[in-house]
Amino acid sequence: MNDSKQVTNRLALYFDGSCQENRNVTADTSAGWGVVIVQGDSGLGKGDGDVIEELSGNVVTDSNADGWLGAEVGSNNTAELTAIAHTLRWLLTKPVEGKVTIRG
């Protein structure tokens, strides 16, 4: 998608996060997040709409690394919080017009 184009229509931003094991988590526990932006989604769970962008990554737990958002451990919770942060960041940096639904 070209950043200069204005996104119109109804948008649904889906996000989630997870980790390898959610017990005794540490900074070394593998955790990841994902975001999918769908244009024209009906919200009925029927796969309507077009995927216009996908984002994903690992939870960054090193306070000196690029992309660190404050997570000290990799966990299901820090992965989901990282996912919502990237969802909101996407929304704030795109010229969106119309209704937006965020679903976790």
Side-chain angles (χ1 to χ4, degrees):
M1 185 171 102
N2 185 338
D3 284 346
S4 65
K5 289 174 99 178
Q6 193 166 45
V7 178
T8 59
N9 239 342
R10 179 179 40 238
L11 285 183
L13 285 67
Y14 293 90
F15 73 91
D16 202 1
S18 66
C19 71
Q20 189 68 15
E21 192 173 322
N22 208 23
R23 290 188 166 173
N24 303 316
V25 294
T26 69
D28 296 324
T29 301
S30 178
W33 58 271
V35 180
V36 177
I37 295 91
V38 180
Q39 186 173 28
D41 181 38
S42 69
L44 299 176
K46 295 183 178 183
D48 298 336
D50 297 310
V51 173
I52 60 171
E53 194 164 348
E54 295 176 310
L55 310 167
S56 63
N58 294 321
V59 173
V60 177
T61 57
D62 178 355
S63 63
N64 296 314
D66 287 340
W68 184 67
L69 297 174
E72 296 177 357
V73 298
S75 70
N76 190 60
N77 289 342
T78 59
E80 289 178 351
L81 290 168
T82 301
I84 189 68
H86 284 280
T87 301
L88 295 173
R89 178 181 285 164
W90 184 92
L91 188 57
L92 290 170
T93 61
K94 302 295 179 178
V96 175
E97 184 178 286
K99 293 185 178 186
V100 175
T101 302
I102 298 175
R103 294 193 164 110

